Amino acid sequence: MSTGLAGWITCRQVLNIMVIFGFMLNYALRVNFTIAIVAMTKTIVNVATGADDTTGLNVTDTTVADLSTTTESSVINEADKFEWDARQQNLMLGSFFWGYVLTELPGGRLAEIIGGRRVFGYSMLWASLLTLLTPLASNTHYIAVVILRAVLGFFLGASWPAIHPLTAVWIPPMDRSKFIANMMASSLGAAITMPICGFLIATIGWQSVFYFTGGLGLLWSIIWFMVVFETPASHPRITPEERNEIESAINAAGKKKKPSYVPWKSIITSPPVWAIILTHGASVFGFFTVVNQLPTYMKYILHFNIKENGLLSSLPYFGKYAMAVISSHLADYLRKSGKLSTTATRKIFTAFAVMTPGFLMIIQVYMGEHRSWAVGIFTLSLFLNGAVTAGYLGNGLDIAPNFSGTIFGMANTLSSFGGFVSAYMVGVLTNENQTYGQWQIVFWILAVVYITGSSAYVIMGTGELQAWNNPPEKGDGNGETEEGVPLNQRNQAAVK
């Protein structure tokens, strides 16, 4: 077996490990302020409006609430806390989203041009440095925090779509489901970050949260640039055997270059692309409606404070990651063994992960008044949703590896607004009318969205490579391209 670092671990294994920790820290850098703000303010107020937590797989309103009981017990004197009112807190929390949505699509395309290693690595590096500056910004003025958080979102927004182009050049097609599951390590970050930050606040103070997460992010970034490289061909320590194994599987060695332009018309009019966008939007909308609104529903309808049970609060996050890993290994096994085609695999797992929660919401309509049923259904729906990694989440790599970053950037940009819509929808339906009847409407809407989105994928989705993945270069009529290799390295690749 080919070996890499220190002669006992392959370069792909190193990449897997770094991506797992990278997404865990990615989540920590996003939510540390959301957790710490409870202890930073003189008066604990409800800042959960939903508007600040509307991006894929990031901070949820429950994060603030889950840590409130812990972070209230802070070593910081009350007189040293900030007098931020609810409006100012919402502004600081929501500003992250302003920058985040701006770089999803550009970040994906940039990773296709200069490489995912640089985009993901520098996104995390700058985000870590900004995190270390958060205490200074907080002591300066709340507007300084607003600006800092917006810039932080700007950098982290580019990180998620950057992984797909990196996957295209490092991971053989039949192993990509397992690698994409690493993105769900953000769920592990959710489950781990909350108690760690709560402990730090209670024992050292809220500033320690930013120094701890920012310091870890900075350390990770340094190691990332030391051990991860854009392509197997550019890795100085990869063995010839591992490089040949990767390049042979990807079938890129004999091709010439990567497309120098994006066939926007073909992408925008492609049914498989819209299948990914629609089901991703439905999945994110459902996920954040369940996660953000569950505590409210439990409190007003079932008169039960789920936030007081730390295990119950963290269980969905652990479960989602476990399902992502299990389902992705199964999906790649089914594809590699020939038992299922890529198309069939993606459709089955997407239906399982997105359509099944829709049917669970229908059960919730009729059984949701019972506490055990309600908690069980919500937890199960989040658990099953982890299987998206074996379904549509990495499907852009199947249909167009050369533009996988662009496709995911499109999908994540549009789905980011799902949280806004979700919070607004629930607010309109339940404002001063917290009745089970109104929540039944919410569940019906969730059911329709889940089932409609997944049905769109079942109908239009495919695992087949699209012709526009290799558009002819303007002027030469040659459609041969090197799959996934960063555009700025195409001349180097051509002479190898």
Side-chain angles (χ1 to χ4, degrees), residues 69-111:
T69 55
T70 302
T71 55
E72 284 182 57
S73 303
S74 174
V75 296
I76 303 298
N77 293 327
E78 190 71 16
D80 296 329
K81 295 182 180 181
F82 300 101
E83 295 182 352
W84 292 331
D85 59 30
R87 182 190 65 83
Q88 292 170 333
Q89 292 183 55
N90 284 326
L91 192 61
M92 288 183 286
L93 290 168
S95 61
F96 176 91
F97 174 79
W98 305 345
Y100 188 85
V101 296
L102 293 178
T103 52
E104 287 278 0
L105 181 55
R109 180 54 185 159
L110 185 63

Side-chain angles (χ1 to χ4, degrees), residues 214-244:
L216 282 180
L218 185 60
L219 177 63
W220 177 93
S221 301
I222 295 172
I223 297 175
W224 171 267
F225 284 112
M226 291 175 60
V227 301
V228 174
F229 292 83
E230 295 291 2
T231 66
S234 65
H235 200 303
R237 294 181 295 275
I238 194 171
T239 63
E241 292 82 8
E242 184 179 5
R243 176 181 171 180
N244 181 66

Side-chain angles (χ1 to χ4, degrees), residues 99-432:
Y100 188 85
V101 296
L102 293 178
T103 52
E104 287 278 0
L105 181 55
R109 180 54 185 159
L110 185 63
E112 294 166 355
I113 297 174
I114 69 172
R117 168 187 180 256
R118 295 181 186 177
V119 176
F120 192 78
Y122 282 117
S123 294
M124 291 290 291
L125 174 62
W126 285 106
S128 299
L129 292 173
L130 287 170
T131 297
L132 292 171
L133 293 174
T134 303
L136 176 62
S138 301
N139 284 293
T140 302
H141 196 276
Y142 86 92
I143 292 298
V145 180
V146 170
I147 296 173
L148 184 145
R149 293 286 297 174
V151 179
L152 181 73
F154 182 87
F155 283 114
L156 289 183
S159 60
W160 283 70
I163 288 300
H164 285 71
L166 192 64
T167 307
V169 295
W170 270 102
I171 308 301
M174 291 300 171
D175 294 323
R176 287 174 179 171
S177 298
K178 294 192 289 287
F179 186 79
I180 290 298
N182 294 334
M183 297 176 72
M184 286 299 169
S186 60
S187 292
L188 281 184
I192 296 173
T193 300
M194 290 187 285
I196 290 179
C197 289
F199 172 78
L200 288 173
I201 291 170
T203 56
I204 304 176
W206 62 263
Q207 296 93 336
S208 63
V209 168
F210 303 104
Y211 297 138
F212 178 74
T213 56
L216 282 180
L218 185 60
L219 177 63
W220 177 93
S221 301
I222 295 172
I223 297 175
W224 171 267
F225 284 112
M226 291 175 60
V227 301
V228 174
F229 292 83
E230 295 291 2
T231 66
S234 65
H235 200 303
R237 294 181 295 275
I238 194 171
T239 63
E241 292 82 8
E242 184 179 5
R243 176 181 171 180
N244 181 66
E245 178 186 345
I246 295 171
E247 292 181 340
S248 297
I250 295 177
N251 193 29
K255 297 187 177 181
K256 295 183 179 180
K257 59 184 179 181
K258 186 175 180 180
S260 60
Y261 68 98
V262 180
W264 287 111
K265 182 178 179 181
S266 297
I267 292 177
I268 294 174
T269 58
S270 170
V273 170
W274 280 103
I276 295 172
I277 292 174
L278 291 174
T279 193
H280 186 54
S283 178
V284 171
F285 175 85
F287 175 78
F288 279 102
T289 301
V290 172
V291 170
N292 290 353
Q293 307 304 328
L294 173 59
T296 302
Y297 175 74
M298 298 296 287
K299 177 181 178 180
Y300 289 104
I301 306 302
L302 301 182
H303 309 293
F304 171 65
N305 189 358
I306 193 175
K307 304 163 198 172
E308 294 178 351
N309 190 324
L311 176 62
L312 198 57
S313 299
S314 299
L315 188 60
Y317 296 107
F318 283 116
K320 186 169 184 177
Y321 180 70
M323 174 56 75
V325 173
I326 294 170
S327 62
S328 295
H329 276 76
L330 177 58
D332 282 346
Y333 164 75
L334 293 172
R335 294 165 63 224
K336 189 177 293 187
S337 65
K339 296 181 184 296
L340 284 178
S341 66
T342 297
T343 297
T345 302
R346 299 301 185 216
K347 289 186 175 184
I348 290 172
F349 280 96
T350 296
F352 176 73
V354 184
M355 187 177 290
T356 306
F359 292 116
L360 288 174
M361 289 303 108
I362 295 178
I363 297 176
Q364 189 78 306
V365 170
Y366 298 102
M367 304 298 293
E369 282 187 296
H370 304 282
R371 182 182 300 178
S372 57
W373 275 94
V375 174
I377 290 172
F378 279 132
T379 302
L380 182 60
S381 66
L382 295 177
F383 172 68
L384 297 179
N385 191 245
V388 295
T389 56
Y392 75 84
L393 197 62
N395 188 221
L397 290 160
D398 301 324
I399 66 174
N402 285 330
F403 304 106
S404 55
T406 297
I407 294 171
F408 188 78
M410 291 172 60
N412 223 30
T413 297
L414 295 177
S415 68
S416 293
F417 294 97
F420 276 132
V421 176
S422 167
Y424 179 78
M425 172 195 76
V426 175
V428 169
L429 290 172
T430 63
N431 185 38
E432 298 183 358

